[in-house]
Amino acid sequence: MVYGLARRELRPKVPLCPGEGEKHRLTSLEGLAALSLDALSSVAYGPEAIVLALVAAGTGALTATLPVTLAIVFLLATLVVSYGQVIAVHPDGGGAYAVAEKDLGPTAALLGAASLVVDYVLTVAVSLAAGADALASAFPSLARDKLLVCLVGLALLTVVNLRGVTESARVLMLPTALFVAAILGVVVVDLLRSHPAATVGTHLSFPAHESLGLLLILKAFSSGCSALTGVEAIANAVPTFRTPRVRRAQRTELMLGALLGVMLIGLAVLIRRDHVAPRGDVTVLAQLTAGAFGTGWLYYATNLIVTLVLLLAANTSFGGLPVLMSLLARDHRLPHLFGLRAERPVYRYGVAALALTAALLLLATDADTHRLIPLFAIGVFIGFTLSQLGLVLHWTRGKPDGWKHRALINGTGAVLTTLAGVILLTTKFLEGAWVVVVAVPLLMLLFARIQRYYTAVGEELGLGRVPAPPDRRGASLVIVPLGEVSKLARHALGAALALGDEVVAVAVHADPDKRRALRAAWDRWNPGVRLDVIDSPHRSLVQPVVDYVRRAARDGRQVAVLIPEVEPRHRRYEILQNQRGLLLATVLRSRTDVVVCLLPYRLDL
C-alpha cells in the first residue's frame, strides 16, 4: 500500500464501439454547440423577415419591430418550458414522429413525419440562402451569384456527408461561441454608440401601401416565427447527452432559449432605435454589424462567421433527415433502401435524396431567402403542435402527481403553436405557403401507400407464419451461356457442376463455320458437359437463349442460368467489355422465373 503496489481487482476491458461510452456523449455546452446552431443562426434572417413585413406600411412602422419580437420571445419561452416536459417524458428522443406514433396514432405520425421531412429540406435551403446573403453583404460582387454560391455549398455538404465525415461537438463549439460573441458584441457595442459607425448598402425607398393594422402585425409575427426553428432539436436527441441525460438536456434547452431570446430582443431594440430599414445588397444584420463595428475587419469577420454558422446549421439536416428516413423505412413507410448504410455509418440514399430536393428548391426559388421562409416555418409549427398535444394526452391518460399543471403548460404551448401555425398559413398562403399545404398531404399519402404495399407483400409472402415444407422438383438443371472454349468456360462450368445435378452449356452462333469450329474444339476439350449450339439467323443472342431457357423450365423443373462475366481490375477498362451478360440477366429476370446468377471472372489487367 505504501509503495502503491496494492493489488487491484482485475476486470476485463471490452473495447467500445465508436459512439459508445460517456466520454463520447455531450455535455450541456457541447449539446448547445451541436444541436442549437439551427435555432441560434435564425437571428440572421428572423428579425429581417419582421422588418420586411412591417416596411409595407412605411419605415415609420418599423417601431413595431420590438413589440412583435417580444411576442415571439414569449412564444419561445413557452416552447422552451414545454420541450423541457417533452425531454422528461421521452428521454429516448422526443421527435414529433416518435411522440405522435406513441401518443396520437398512425395518422398523426404520418403528419409528423411529413412535416419533419419538409422542415429538414427547408432548413438546408434557408440556411444556405441566408449564408449566401451574409457572404454577399461582405463581398457585394457575389450578390449576382447567390444561387451558384448556394449550390456550391450544397455540393460541399453532400460530398462531406457521403464520405461519412461526422460533425464533432467539440469542433462546433468554437464557431458557435464566435457567433454568439459576435451577435452579442454587435448588440452591446451598438447600444453604447450614439449613432451608427457606418452605413452599408444602397438606399431603397419604401412608400406605404398598407396601414399598420392587425393584419400587418400578424404578418410580421408569422414571418418572425421563422426564428423559432430548431428549438425542438435538443428534445429529439436526448440520448446523445451524458448522464444525467434529462437534466443536461433540459439545461441545454434553457440555455438555448435564453441566448436566442436575448439576441432577438437586442437586435429588435437596435432596429427600432436606429430605424434600420432594408437596403440593397446587404442584410439587416450586416447593417447592424456595420453600425457597431464600422466597415473594418470586424465587419468582414462577423459576416464570415455568420456564413460559416449558417453552413453548419444546414449540415444538421444531413444528420437528421437520413436517420428519420431510415426510421420510416424500418416502419415500412419509405423504401427499405433508405435504411441501408454504407461501410461508414452513412445513410447515403437519404443524403442523396436530401441534396437533390434542396437543390431543386433552391433552383425553383432562385435562392431567395424571403421566398423560402413562408414555406419554412409551417412544417416546424406542425411538429411543435404535435409534440405538445402528445404530451397533453400523455398527462391526461397517466394522471401522475401534478399532471394538471404539466398538462396546462403543454396545452398552452399547443394552443399558441396552433395559433401561430394558422396565422402563418393564412397570411403567407399566397406567398408560397400553399406549397407546404400541398406537399405535406402528398407525403402522408406516399408514406401510407408504401406501408400498404409492404403490408400486402408481407401477406403474400406469409411473413410471420410457418410455411409448408419446400417442394422438390426433381433434378436441377444449370444452363451456362458460352461463346467459345476458354478459361472463362472452364471457370463457369466448374462453378455450375458444384451447383446443380445436370449442367448444359449453350452457345448461339449465326455462322455455320463458327458453329463447326466450336463443336470441334468442345469435342477436343471434352469437359463432360453437353453443349447445345443454337442457330440464330438474325444474329440475336438474348432471345434464342431466353427461348431455350423457357423450354427447359416448361415442365416445372428447377432451372438456374449461370452467366459468366469478365471483370477487369481497373474501372477504366469496364467500358471495353461487352455488356451482353448483364442484358441477358435483365431479360431473363423480367421474362422467366428461373434463377439467374452472374459469375465474375476477374482479370489481372
Side-chain angles (χ1 to χ4, degrees), residues 296-573:
W297 69 270
L298 275 176
Y299 173 77
Y300 290 96
T302 301
N303 280 287
L304 289 174
I305 290 171
V306 171
T307 302
L308 173 62
V309 167
L310 285 165
L311 184 68
L312 294 174
N315 192 55
T316 59
S317 288
F318 282 93
L321 182 58
V323 174
L324 173 65
M325 296 178 81
S326 73
L327 294 177
L328 289 168
R330 181 198 64 189
D331 295 336
H332 311 302
R333 287 169 174 161
L334 272 182
H336 289 168
L337 61 86
F338 286 106
L340 300 177
R341 297 208 303 181
E343 293 179 2
R344 294 186 175 102
V346 177
Y347 297 100
R348 290 186 172 174
Y349 290 101
V351 170
L354 173 57
L356 178 61
T357 311
L360 292 175
L361 192 58
L362 287 168
L363 289 169
T365 59
D366 198 29
D368 188 343
T369 308
H370 307 295
R371 290 175 63 187
L372 288 165
I373 284 178
L375 287 71
F376 189 26
I378 293 177
V380 176
F381 275 92
I382 292 174
F384 286 166
T385 302
L386 289 175
S387 295
Q388 305 311 311
L389 285 178
L391 263 294
V392 171
L393 290 179
H394 174 82
W395 299 128
T396 55
R397 289 169 183 168
K399 296 184 178 180
D401 294 338
W403 70 271
K404 292 183 179 179
H405 173 70
R406 297 171 183 175
L408 178 62
I409 294 174
N410 295 122
T412 303
V415 170
L416 291 177
T417 53
T418 301
L419 288 175
V422 171
I423 293 170
L424 274 167
L425 185 60
T426 54
T427 58
K428 299 293 183 180
F429 186 81
L430 296 179
E431 297 179 30
W434 63 269
V435 176
V436 179
V437 175
V438 173
V440 169
L442 287 178
L443 284 172
M444 293 175 64
L445 179 62
L446 175 66
F447 298 154
R449 291 295 298 271
I450 291 174
Q451 187 175 24
R452 191 181 310 162
Y453 168 79
Y454 280 126
T455 301
V457 169
E459 287 294 324
E460 188 167 339
L461 296 178
L463 297 180
R465 298 194 297 269
V466 178
D471 297 329
R472 293 189 177 274
R473 302 182 182 179
S476 60
L477 172 65
V478 181
I479 299 173
V480 183
L482 294 173
E484 54 190 344
V485 174
S486 64
K487 284 186 178 181
L488 179 64
R490 179 178 180 274
H491 178 63
L493 292 181
L497 289 169
L499 292 175
D501 301 311
E502 181 183 354
V503 176
V504 176
V506 176
V508 179
H509 280 292
D511 189 342
D513 294 333
K514 290 185 178 181
R515 287 203 305 272
R516 286 192 292 269
L518 175 62
R519 177 67 67 183
W522 193 270
D523 291 339
R524 288 194 303 271
W525 182 31
N526 191 19
V529 173
R530 186 176 90 241
L531 172 67
D532 290 342
V533 182
I534 305 173
D535 183 22
S536 178
H538 301 290
R539 298 184 179 276
S540 171
L541 168 68
V542 174
Q543 193 56 46
V545 175
V546 172
D547 294 339
Y548 182 92
V549 171
R550 281 177 172 172
R551 289 193 298 270
R554 187 174 297 166
D555 58 354
R557 189 179 187 184
Q558 183 64 55
V559 175
V561 181
L562 186 68
I563 304 172
E565 274 285 289
V566 174
E567 285 189 4
R569 184 173 61 179
H570 299 289
R571 286 184 176 272
R572 62 179 178 271
Y573 296 133

Side-chain angles (χ1 to χ4, degrees), residues 488 491 565-569 598-605:
L488 179 64
H491 178 63
E565 274 285 289
V566 174
E567 285 189 4
R569 184 173 61 179
L598 286 172
L599 178 68
Y601 183 88
R602 294 183 173 86
L603 301 174
D604 292 331
L605 299 177

Side-chain angles (χ1 to χ4, degrees), residues 26 33-34 166-173:
L26 302 176
T166 57
E167 60 186 22
S168 169
R170 292 182 178 87
V171 173
L172 294 175
M173 286 183 70

